[in-house]
Amino acid sequence: ESRRLWSARGAFEARLGRLEEATRSYERSLALAELAEPEAMAPLGFALEAGATGLIVVSVTPDSPAATAGIRVGDVLLSLADVQLPSLDAWPEVRGDLKPNVAVPVAALRAGDRVNLEIVPVRLGDITTAATKYNLGYLFLERMDQPDRARPWLEQAVDEYRRALLRQSAATPDIRQGLAFAAGVLGTCGLRLGDMELFERGTRQAARVAEENVRANPAVPAYRTLAGINLTNLSTMLWQQERFDEAAEACEAAIGQFRSALETGGNLASDRLQLLQSLTNLGLIREAQGGAEAAGPIYEAALEAARGLNDADDPRIDAAVGKVRRLHAESRRKVAEQQSPARSEKGKPSD
């Protein structure tokens, strides 16, 4: 309980702008967490059923030790930690001898071929610890502009949330939401550090986890909004790298999430603004791919999404609507010029 109070104190001090005091409170909370009783070992992340030659893997949990080890659905486990697995009866004893963070060998049959893998059991993640590490990383990144100090805390937060997901509890949607936020901010940290591999890894993970939350909870508009935002970030990153097909795919997925958020009762003005911005981005991507004619219908859809926003007293909306209007007018001008090439020759003397 004390570590939760120190974490809450850190959040309060951060809101007051007392950043050094907030840092010390978060660090105190994490120090107390290390003194607490260790969490139980997490499930390895696969379900098994008995087969003729071993135990057949019938499902694998994403981001679990099994998934990280490369175990796949359909694999037939022959042994774990060098102990044979002739039946399900052997599993509890073998599982009970495993230790967190100690790698053990796994032998399996895959499509008739023997494969040798290595699995590392982990402890269950703690939600309070994950949130505190995220808050500390965010503080260093956004409030103190120290991305080098932020990175390790954000990486630890992502790992802690990922292991907390292995609980499969009623809090799973909130844990996924936390993981999506942490991974997205880790991606931003990578961008600030000039580490594009970290930027892409964090951004992709944030988008994937947010989409998983939508699939599991389709009626919650806030999850769709977060998925749309992360997909927009992914699209922007791919667009900047001139990976236009991938950027368009991610942008279209973001548009779908924002439309669905609106249909399920999301924040009307906010989600409509996000939809407008995503449609505008898609128009720019299509224009880079196929010219102004390809972008025109998308700009028109963006203008349709802008209806009802024009009267809102929000400079962001004014800027977004003004931008799409300018782009739409410019694309129409370009198309008209392409369709009437003789106009560019008008007024020139003939030979």
Side-chain angles (χ1 to χ4, degrees), residues 57-276:
V57 178
V58 295
S59 67
V60 177
T61 303
D63 292 323
S64 66
T68 302
I71 293 172
R72 303 177 187 174
V73 172
D75 285 353
V76 179
L77 300 190
L78 304 176
S79 67
L80 181 72
D82 296 319
V83 178
Q84 299 300 309
L85 297 171
S87 69
L88 288 171
D89 293 337
W91 177 249
E93 184 176 352
V94 175
R95 172 73 170 76
D97 289 338
L98 301 179
K99 295 180 173 56
N101 303 316
V102 178
V104 294
V106 179
L109 284 178
R110 179 177 296 163
D113 296 325
R114 183 184 176 96
V115 292
N116 295 307
L117 306 170
E118 191 175 75
I119 191 168
V120 182
V122 297
R123 291 198 182 279
L124 284 168
D126 178 77
I127 302 172
T128 299
T129 300
T132 303
K133 289 178 176 178
Y134 167 74
N135 288 337
L136 188 53
Y138 185 88
L139 185 71
F140 283 135
L141 183 67
E142 299 295 350
R143 303 291 297 279
M144 302 173 75
D145 195 24
Q146 297 178 21
D148 54 331
R149 294 181 70 186
R151 177 174 181 167
W153 291 115
L154 292 170
E155 288 180 324
Q156 290 179 47
V158 168
D159 178 66
E160 194 80 30
Y161 274 124
R162 182 179 58 79
R163 289 185 288 108
L165 272 178
L166 298 173
R167 294 176 181 273
Q168 296 296 315
S169 69
T172 293
D174 293 332
I175 298 171
R176 280 203 204 97
Q177 192 87 325
L179 176 55
F181 275 116
V185 175
L186 178 60
T188 301
C189 184
L191 183 62
R192 300 266 186 92
L193 291 169
D195 187 336
M196 301 311 293
E197 186 279 329
L198 179 63
F199 177 37
E200 180 164 356
R201 173 161 54 88
T203 304
R204 283 191 179 279
Q205 184 176 18
R208 177 176 58 80
V209 172
E211 286 189 294
E212 287 174 1
N213 226 12
V214 168
R215 286 193 290 272
N217 306 273
V220 182
Y223 295 158
R224 291 190 176 277
T225 300
L226 181 60
I229 291 170
N230 281 301
L231 286 162
T232 298
N233 293 339
L234 176 60
S235 174
T236 301
M237 178 201 71
L238 295 166
W239 178 16
Q240 291 170 345
Q241 297 175 2
E242 298 186 358
R243 294 155 65 178
F244 296 124
D245 289 341
E246 294 175 81
E249 182 180 357
C251 197
E252 287 172 343
I255 289 166
Q257 294 293 356
F258 290 132
R259 289 192 190 280
S260 296
L262 286 165
E263 290 168 0
T264 52
N267 184 313
L268 182 60
S270 175
D271 287 328
R272 193 178 289 277
L273 175 60
Q274 296 279 5
L275 174 60
L276 169 59

Side-chain angles (χ1 to χ4, degrees), residues 1-62:
E1 189 62 33
S2 295
R3 60 196 178 95
R4 290 182 173 84
L5 292 174
W6 278 105
S7 183
R9 178 174 174 172
F12 177 72
E13 288 166 337
R15 284 196 294 272
L16 294 178
R18 303 200 299 246
L19 305 184
E20 292 297 338
E21 291 89 341
T23 299
R24 286 192 289 271
S25 294
Y26 285 139
E27 290 175 341
R28 180 68 180 272
S29 174
L30 294 172
L32 289 170
E34 291 182 3
L35 297 175
E37 186 71 22
E39 291 283 351
M41 196 166 71
L44 293 179
F46 49 60
L48 304 170
E49 65 179 26
T53 56
L55 302 182
I56 302 171
V57 178
V58 295
S59 67
V60 177
T61 303

